[in-house]
Amino acid sequence: MNVAAGDPATVGGWFDSHCHLDHSDPGDVASVLERARAAGVVGAITVGCDAQSGRDAIDLAARHDMVWATVGLHPHEARHGVETIIGLLDEPRVVAVGECGLDYHYDHSPRPAQREAFAAQIQLAHERQLPLVVHTREAWPDTFAILDAEGVPARTVLHCFTGGPDEARRCLDRGAWLSFSGIVTFKNAVEVREAAQICPDDRLLVETDSPFLAPVPFRGKRNEPAYVGHVGSAIAALRGATVEAVAALTRGNAQVAFALPLL
């Protein structure tokens, strides 16, 4: 393998395509981003899951030039109705609809409400020509069925990808990007690593999903964007690539997927 040596966090040019900065204390966000910059992170997307977190994401993006926002209704919050977030989609620095989708593990919202909210947000992505950020857990058949019925938006990201090669191929066949989190570093995530190996160069993204899912060697601790390089380093090792190449590749893919300025 031609893998770069040294601390992956010192490699510049990382882009965290999915995090939740609103979960940090308001006074701590600047410190979180300062640590991210020191670790070579040049940008991040903070993700809205309901109306309040969408507003928080918009506010954070307005105050920090390395941050962009999404607005969506997470499947856990689907019972509140998509009408609660529609007005936020036209705010500055909102670059995607989501995260949205299906979560049949917890069922915090009834499954019919989840499916209705997911379909409605796919249509919002079409109407506004925005990317779609998809969350799916234990719901692959219905996820694909709804995407196919509503039409897959031209720019669709499967965030925190947890499937294996078969699910990866089905996503890729629909033109989606696959975004990998710290799960790719977990010992038991064999199929996720196999998916990361087969993902084409131009469909690969990295994320932290912070403050959740900290990668090894920080597993069990509070995650943050500064650790995205450890996700990328694990993927570089899987793919026989340099860490620098994966940083540049995934940063460029994020620019395309979310229509961002050059970073």
Side-chain angles (χ1 to χ4, degrees):
M1 289 186 181
N2 183 25
V3 180
D7 184 354
T10 65
V11 172
W14 292 108
F15 190 92
D16 185 352
S17 70
H18 193 111
C19 62
H20 297 275
L21 294 174
D22 63 299
H23 284 246
S24 299
D25 293 334
D28 190 44
V29 172
S31 297
V32 168
L33 293 176
E34 183 179 345
R35 289 192 291 273
R37 289 190 188 94
V41 179
V42 297
I45 293 177
T46 188
V47 173
C49 293
D50 59 13
Q52 184 57 59
S53 63
R55 291 187 192 97
D56 292 343
I58 290 164
D59 179 61
L60 287 165
R63 291 190 286 115
H64 300 283
D65 60 7
M66 70 180 291
V67 177
W68 287 263
T70 77
V71 170
L73 197 64
H74 191 284
H76 291 345
E77 311 301 330
R79 64 193 182 279
H80 298 305
V82 171
E83 65 276 5
T84 59
I85 56 100
I86 290 176
L88 300 174
L89 287 167
D90 298 319
E91 292 292 324
R93 296 181 73 81
V94 172
V95 297
V97 177
E99 63 183 283
C100 60
L102 305 174
D103 193 311
Y104 291 174
H105 181 77
Y106 289 110
D107 284 326
H108 289 325
S109 286
R111 294 185 183 185
Q114 291 188 45
R115 292 189 285 266
E116 181 180 351
F118 185 29
Q121 288 175 91
I122 294 171
Q123 289 309 310
L124 288 173
H126 284 304
E127 291 166 10
R128 284 168 168 75
Q129 297 184 321
L130 285 171
L132 182 75
V133 178
V134 178
H135 169 112
T136 183
R137 187 172 185 183
E138 298 178 16
W140 285 109
D142 280 358
T143 297
F144 290 128
I146 293 171
L147 283 169
D148 291 347
E150 302 298 328
V152 182
R155 291 174 290 147
T156 294
V157 175
L158 270 294
H159 119 83
C160 192
F161 186 82
T162 56
D166 290 344
E167 291 83 7
R169 292 186 183 96
R170 295 181 72 182
C171 293
L172 294 166
D173 287 346
R174 289 163 172 81
W177 281 265
L178 307 182
S179 186
F180 291 91
S181 70
I183 291 173
V184 79
T185 71
F186 297 176
K187 184 177 180 180
N188 62 349
V190 175
E191 289 202 339
V192 175
R193 284 191 288 276
E194 291 174 357
Q197 286 179 294
I198 69 166
C199 183
D201 284 352
D202 63 349
R203 294 288 151 174
L204 180 69
L205 295 169
V206 290
E207 65 173 82
T208 58
D209 201 17
S210 56
F212 317 106
L213 300 174
V216 174
F218 306 103
R219 190 173 184 185
K221 299 180 180 180
R222 184 179 179 86
N223 200 6
E224 56 183 72
Y227 300 157
V228 71
H230 291 273
V231 178
S233 178
I235 290 174
L238 288 170
R239 296 166 69 91
T242 65
V243 176
E244 291 86 352
V246 171
L249 179 69
T250 54
R251 181 181 71 252
N253 289 342
Q255 289 173 223
V256 174
F258 295 101
L260 303 175
L262 292 177
L263 301 166

